[in-house]
Amino acid sequence: MILLVTGGAGFIGSNFIHYWLKNHADDRIVNLDTLTYAGHLESLKDISDNPNYQFIKGDITNPEDVKRAMDGVDIIVHFAAESHVDRSIVDPLTFVRTNVLGTALLLNTALDLGVKRFHHVSTDEVYGELGPDDPPFTEETLYAPRTPYAASKAGSDHLVRAYFETYGLPITISNCANNYGFFHDPEKLIPRFITNLLEGKKVPLMGKGENIREWLHVEDHASAIDFVLQKGEIGETYLIEGEEKTNMEITKMLLEILGLDESMIEFVGHRLGHDFRYAINGEKLRSLGWERKHSLAEDLSKVVLWYKTNEWWWKPLKEGRPNIDRNAQKSYKQSL
Ligand SMILES: NC(=O)c1ccc[n+]([C@@H]2O[C@H](COP(=O)([O-])OP(=O)(O)OC[C@H]3O[C@@H](n4cnc5c(N)ncnc54)[C@H](O)[C@@H]3O)[C@@H](O)[C@H]2O)c1
């Protein structure tokens, strides 16, 4: 079987490729990635000369790149996206282009070429935010995205469903919680906090750290997608749950692992449109027999150790990268 993985040089895509080649050694993987600031071929160094792995540098918004990469492919697992909420606040149009237009072009080409399955990877952020006592999201929750990132992912989800309803393209969708694991870009919360602490710097915690997220180990995410590809029903959406924690709880876990105290926390302002809480009811997928194998209690320290021993991977990514000015869009609006 031949799989096309889009965005395979990113955090989840690269972990998914490692997972797939380990668990389905006879399959072939084509990785289509344009290598934005978030694409790191170093994450795939170990398998770069595996004869069952092929990298194509190309853009999902470019028809020729997409056609070339999709030729002869059985299954598409679509990760490629602009994925950082802070960046979407500063530069929303890039998110619309990649996440909406790029997904539309992939769907159209998949239909033309008769691809057997199009699996779309999405986020719980499409459902908006929850209050402290609201029930968790289910597959029936209405979409209510509140950031340009979440809105662009919601747009892509709607297109994927529309290609199933209108044209019968065999699709499945998964929406999941925040991921953690190895090869996670240091601009995201957990790796940013770990690498800051390893460098002796404070960690910037928004508000009082009261915002709540669910955390899913990236290998559990990969195994859930594998499960959906095998047992999921065409046209269906599956939510993949993680473990619910406040950002303060995550910060304290990291401080404890590293033997540091709360003086290493620097409280900073909330981002624009900062969602208070996401939570997922993953019963639909669990009832089919999928379960998580990892836990923060056991795996967060392994992730910290990975960053300790793999400075070669993350140090060059932090050096020379400007901080994102989350107020840029706000000051632009104020100047109108
Ligand atoms: N990271 C999370 O916690 C999380 C949670 C839920 C859902 N998701 C979704 O999972 C997917 C992967 O997330 P991630 O964290 O690995 O993202 P990432 O930002 O680490 O990686 C994205 C990858 O896509 C590539 N890419 C971007 N634009 C492209 C284009 N136009 N053409 C080809 N490739 C392009 C980048 O080069 C990069 O390799 C995304 O769709 C994201 O919305 C992520």
Side-chain angles (χ1 to χ4, degrees):
M1 197 159 59
I2 306 180
L3 268 80
L4 171 63
V5 172
T6 69
F11 165 46
I12 306 175
S14 59
N15 277 283
F16 179 82
I17 292 174
H18 281 123
Y19 166 92
W20 199 271
L21 289 175
K22 206 158 80 187
N23 290 281
H24 305 273
D26 294 335
D27 288 348
R28 269 190 54 209
I29 289 202
V30 178
N31 172 14
L32 173 66
D33 196 302
T34 199
L35 300 181
T36 66
Y37 79 94
H40 314 303
L41 286 181
E42 296 76 13
S43 310
L44 296 157
K45 219 168 59 144
D46 295 1
I47 50 117
S48 59
D49 51 12
N50 182 325
N52 282 342
Y53 168 74
Q54 180 193 0
F55 172 66
I56 295 180
K57 183 170 171 7
D59 189 328
I60 59 164
T61 66
N62 178 321
E64 276 160 29
D65 290 350
V66 168
K67 214 168 164 189
R68 182 160 71 98
M70 222 181 264
D71 187 32
V73 156
D74 301 295
I75 293 178
I76 297 168
V77 184
H78 174 35
F79 295 98
E82 289 292 338
S83 71
H84 190 35
V85 178
D86 281 348
R87 287 179 186 263
S88 83
I89 293 166
V90 177
D91 180 17
L93 297 189
T94 299
F95 281 64
V96 175
R97 184 171 186 277
T98 299
N99 300 358
V100 181
L101 185 65
T103 302
L105 180 60
L106 288 168
L107 288 163
N108 227 37
T109 314
L111 193 63
D112 283 350
L113 298 182
V115 166
K116 294 189 195 94
R117 175 74 78 88
F118 188 108
H119 182 78
H120 178 59
V121 178
S122 193
T123 166
D124 56 359
E125 301 190 27
V126 297
Y127 299 113
E129 67 174 351
L130 294 170
D133 302 320
D134 289 333
F137 305 131
T138 71
E139 288 78 2
E140 311 307 320
T141 304
L142 292 180
Y143 276 40
R146 299 176 70 247
T147 65
Y149 165 65
S152 66
K153 290 298 291 186
S156 67
D157 294 8
H158 290 316
L159 278 165
V160 175
R161 242 170 248 125
Y163 269 70
F164 167 68
E165 298 289 350
T166 309
Y167 307 110
L169 185 72
I171 64 101
T172 37
I173 301 176
S174 53
N175 298 70
C176 76
N178 280 11
N179 284 214
Y180 67 100
F182 309 154
F183 299 114
H184 199 183
D185 194 289
E187 75 173 359
K188 300 283 175 72
L189 189 139
I190 287 184
R192 183 163 181 208
F193 281 19
I194 296 172
T195 57
N196 271 19
L197 294 170
L198 291 176
E199 291 177 317
K201 294 182 195 152
K202 293 192 178 199
V203 297
L205 188 59
M206 288 186 201
K208 294 191 174 78
E210 70 277 33
N211 293 55
I212 300 168
R213 299 289 179 263
E214 274 195 13
W215 293 97
L216 172 70
H217 194 282
V218 69
E219 276 178 25
D220 280 334
H221 187 183
S223 87
I225 294 172
D226 187 358
F227 187 89
V228 170
L229 287 173
Q230 292 183 46
K231 303 251 168 66
E233 206 174 306
I234 299 296
E236 288 294 308
T237 293
Y238 297 91
L239 266 51
I240 313 169
E241 69 192 358
E243 294 170 76
E244 203 172 337
K245 295 274 178 220
T246 64
N247 288 342
M248 178 57 98
E249 284 170 328
I250 289 286
T251 307
K252 283 185 178 168
M253 287 176 85
L254 293 174
L255 290 170
E256 198 187 321
I257 291 166
L258 285 161
L260 297 166
D261 64 33
E262 290 176 35
S263 64
M264 295 305 286
I265 300 175
E266 180 189 3
F267 292 99
V268 298
H270 285 285
R271 65 160 64 105
L272 296 176
H274 196 191
D275 290 337
F276 173 65
R277 173 178 168 235
Y278 309 125
I280 288 176
N281 177 342
E283 172 60 23
K284 182 173 173 183
L285 195 57
R286 266 188 284 115
S287 69
L288 294 179
W290 178 80
E291 56 183 32
R292 285 201 312 271
K293 296 223 160 50
H294 295 271
S295 69
L296 283 165
E298 274 189 22
D299 287 85
L300 203 52
S301 54
K302 293 181 191 161
V303 174
V304 171
L305 184 63
W306 188 87
Y307 281 89
K308 256 187 182 169
T309 47
N310 287 286
E311 282 193 0
W312 68 272
W313 185 86
W314 60 266
K315 273 249 155 114
L317 302 180
K318 272 193 127 175
E319 275 156 16
R321 188 184 275 179
N323 279 334
I324 300 162
D325 178 6
R326 283 187 282 109
N327 289 317
Q329 198 51 278
K330 195 170 163 187
S331 47
Y332 168 72
K333 281 191 192 134
Q334 280 163 352
S335 72
L336 290 176

